Amino acid sequence: MHYDYLIAGAGLFGATVARELTDAGKKVLVVEKRNHIGGNAYTEEVDGVMVHRYGAHIFHTNDNEVWAFLNRFVTFNRYTNSPVALYRGELFSLPFNMYTFHQMWGVTRPEDARRIIAEQVKEAGIDEPSNLEEQAISLVGTDIYEKLIRGYTEKQWGRPCKELPAFIIRRLPVRFTYDNNYFNARHQGIPEEGYTVLTERLLEGSEVRLNTDYLACREELDAMADTVLFTGPIDAFFGRCFGKLEYRSLRFETELLDTDNYQGNAVVNYTDSDVPWIRSIEHKWFMFGKDRQGNDIPGTVVTKEFSVPWKDGCEPYYPVNDEKNNELYRRYRKLADGQKVLFGGRLGSYQYYDMDQVVARGLALARQLLNGSVSCADGEDPC
Ligand code: FAD
Ligand code: UDP
């Protein structure tokens, strides 16, 4: 059997590209090294609860095309992410908004919150923020930085905030209104049947082989297709010949608990450095405590998420986009330009992409492949 395209990785990026290519009549083979599709967005049902196996995944986007595309395959529920932060017994609303400022300082009006933040920024003497610590303080002041950002960020990234890029903290909204919605997105929700069903529908019409590591049988697989798209780590593709790109990995501890309500919210962030985990997730609240038939779920499933250093054999969840790693990535990208292979997705592009971004990029890549504007021979990188 010969295929037009071989896609290594059955995450949302690879599955989006596969959908568009099969819709255009192309023959597609998808190989996935794990024993399931869905990549890190994978969900599975445990006692009626849709469990997010690799951490909480809340879909959000401003992109109408991406939203319309995905709504062809699944119905999204109306879940709105409103995590709370727990710091040494004190509870704060997230993202940083008037509820947080009230809880932190007792203020009730935006102008008082703005005044306190301005005083703290002035005292810290920051003009041009050049790292995550300075960026955080200049956005929300030192009290919030100390209680809600420093411990959490240093646990998550395993290094001081001063050594992290400022863009990471700019992912979070700062609002002077009473609004606990974690995202500034036009559309938000979670597929009612989970992300695995979404991916299954994206992959309909493609041949999918699980438990197949592309890198372990590259020659045989390359010979089976005209064009190859690799969505795993770009440095692994090249045998890490220039050295290892850095990632952060995660460890999950999941328990089925005999209570109907453990923490009263889907996501609780532990922002204190003394608590070893970063987040605790009670999965049933992503679906309002109901199973797929609409019945109340009696028990609950809770996952604690621990951030750990990445080493060989661990899953690479987060690229560490500091200058050193970005520079190394650029060297691999240059090497990729000479290959008959395309790269994309979070790991292939070494970018901290959200799901809507990989879907948007998957749609764009498929479009370019189909209209011939990407030639794998010259290795142009549309991603
Ligand atoms: P992946 O999902 O990583 O898929 C790549 C696939 O390729 C994997 O299945 C992998 O096993 C496979 N693969 C790798 N190497 C090989 C190989 N050699 N051969 C065969 N297969 C291979 N985004 C949001 O929008 N909202 C959220 O709330 C959100 N929360 C997140 C929480 C966590 C803890 C993490 C880690 C990420 C979160 N994301 C979230 C980001 C989201 O997971 C990614 O944007 C998305 O999953 C990326 O899709 P992808 O296909 O590029 O990569
Ligand atoms: N962050 C924080 N405290 C929190 C939540 C987030 O300091 O309670 C910071 C942290 O640096 C994190 C960044 O904000 O890496 C982005 O948070 P986000 O929730 O987007 O991270 P992700 O969901 O990608 O893990």
Side-chain angles (χ1 to χ4, degrees):
M1 182 75 167
H2 195 80
Y3 299 86
D4 297 305
Y5 293 94
L6 166 75
I7 300 177
L12 281 177
F13 179 76
T16 299
V17 179
R19 174 76 273 134
E20 293 296 274
L21 295 176
T22 47
D23 279 352
K26 303 295 180 189
K27 276 201 285 217
V28 180
L29 171 63
V30 178
V31 295
E32 167 55 56
K33 72 173 185 184
R34 293 178 182 169
N35 63 2
H36 60 75
I37 59 169
N40 290 338
Y42 174 68
T43 43
E44 66 182 337
E45 234 176 276
V46 176
D47 269 18
V49 182
M50 190 71 71
V51 171
H52 296 218
R53 204 36 97 190
Y54 302 96
H57 276 72
I58 299 102
F59 189 85
H60 54 99
T61 191
N62 281 316
D63 187 327
N64 288 333
E65 188 196 359
V66 166
W67 184 245
F69 171 74
L70 294 178
N71 275 275
R72 278 169 45 201
F73 307 101
V74 286
T75 302
F76 283 82
N77 71 12
R78 59 162 190 85
Y79 181 78
T80 300
N81 199 28
S82 306
V84 292
L86 201 52
Y87 176 83
R88 300 190 177 167
E90 287 181 85
L91 201 74
F92 296 94
S93 301
L94 291 173
F96 312 119
N97 74 92
M98 281 307 296
Y99 287 110
T100 329
F101 306 142
H102 174 67
Q103 290 146 355
M104 189 67 69
W105 302 309
V107 295
T108 54
R109 298 186 54 216
E111 68 181 40
D112 295 325
R114 283 189 202 276
R115 182 181 39 77
I116 293 174
I117 291 171
E119 281 165 9
Q120 296 190 354
V121 175
K122 191 168 173 217
E123 202 163 309
I126 299 161
D127 294 327
E128 287 280 305
S130 65
N131 56 51
L132 194 151
E133 176 175 297
E134 292 178 3
Q135 179 70 80
I137 293 172
S138 70
L139 286 169
V140 288
T142 38
D143 288 344
I144 290 179
Y145 171 69
E146 290 298 339
K147 288 190 171 180
L148 304 185
I149 298 175
R150 199 215 312 228
Y152 185 94
T153 300
E154 297 192 351
K155 278 191 287 186
Q156 178 165 13
W157 295 97
R159 62 187 68 194
C161 290
K162 277 195 172 70
E163 293 173 20
L164 284 163
F167 85 87
I168 293 178
I169 198 68
R170 289 198 299 265
R171 285 170 60 85
L172 302 193
V174 178
R175 296 190 192 107
F176 292 87
T177 53
Y178 289 91
D179 179 356
N180 289 331
N181 185 345
Y182 201 62
F183 302 116
N184 283 328
R186 190 180 293 158
H187 311 289
Q188 183 171 176
I190 293 175
E192 283 179 353
E193 296 163 282
Y195 294 97
T196 308
V197 169
L198 165 63
T199 316
E200 242 165 52
R201 292 183 184 154
L202 291 172
L203 289 172
E204 255 168 41
S206 296
E207 184 182 329
V208 179
R209 294 188 193 169
L210 300 177
N211 303 305
T212 306
D213 183 344
Y214 166 80
L215 296 177
C217 36
R218 188 190 301 209
E219 275 179 26
E220 183 195 331
L221 289 168
D222 284 352
M224 292 170 72
D226 296 336
T227 304
V228 175
L229 170 63
F230 184 72
T231 77
I234 188 166
D235 57 329
F237 180 91
F238 291 111
R240 307 216 158 86
C241 60
F242 297 141
K244 291 177 185 174
L245 283 169
E246 284 177 278
Y247 301 90
R248 283 299 282 177
S249 196
L250 297 168
R251 182 167 63 79
F252 299 101
E253 278 181 14
T254 299
E255 287 178 289
L256 185 60
L257 299 177
D258 190 19
T259 168
D260 68 340
N261 192 352
Y262 171 73
Q263 63 185 27
N265 203 34
V267 184
V268 177
N269 289 2
Y270 286 79
T271 57
D272 167 5
S273 56
D274 293 344
V275 177
W277 55 90
I278 58 170
R279 292 187 269 223
S280 167
I281 292 157
E282 189 168 10
H283 301 262
K284 70 190 288 186
W285 303 125
F286 289 126
M287 42 208 285
F288 309 100
K290 306 273 186 200
D291 66 17
R292 273 161 66 179
Q293 287 68 46
N295 304 313
D296 287 340
I297 299 169
T300 199
V301 179
V302 174
T303 300
K304 291 193 178 97
E305 184 179 321
F306 299 78
S307 178
V308 295
W310 177 85
K311 55 182 189 305
D312 279 334
C314 293
E315 285 293 339
Y317 289 99
Y318 290 96
V320 181
N321 288 109
D322 59 11
E323 255 324 297
K324 184 177 116 226
N325 284 294
N326 288 343
E327 186 47 42
L328 186 54
Y329 167 70
R330 282 190 280 273
R331 292 183 69 194
Y332 282 117
R333 261 277 11 123
K334 269 210 178 109
L335 211 53
D337 287 343
Q339 299 286 319
K340 283 198 159 210
V341 175
L342 296 162
F343 295 84
R346 205 185 225 213
L347 300 169
S349 309
Y350 198 66
Q351 298 288 330
Y352 193 178
Y353 287 146
D354 283 327
M355 291 182 282
D356 63 324
Q357 293 171 294
V358 298
V359 171
R361 285 177 177 272
L363 292 174
L365 173 61
R367 210 171 286 140
Q368 292 176 44
L369 286 168
L370 290 169
N371 71 23
S373 60
V374 175
S375 143
C376 63
D378 67 23
E380 208 182 313
D381 175 25
C383 305

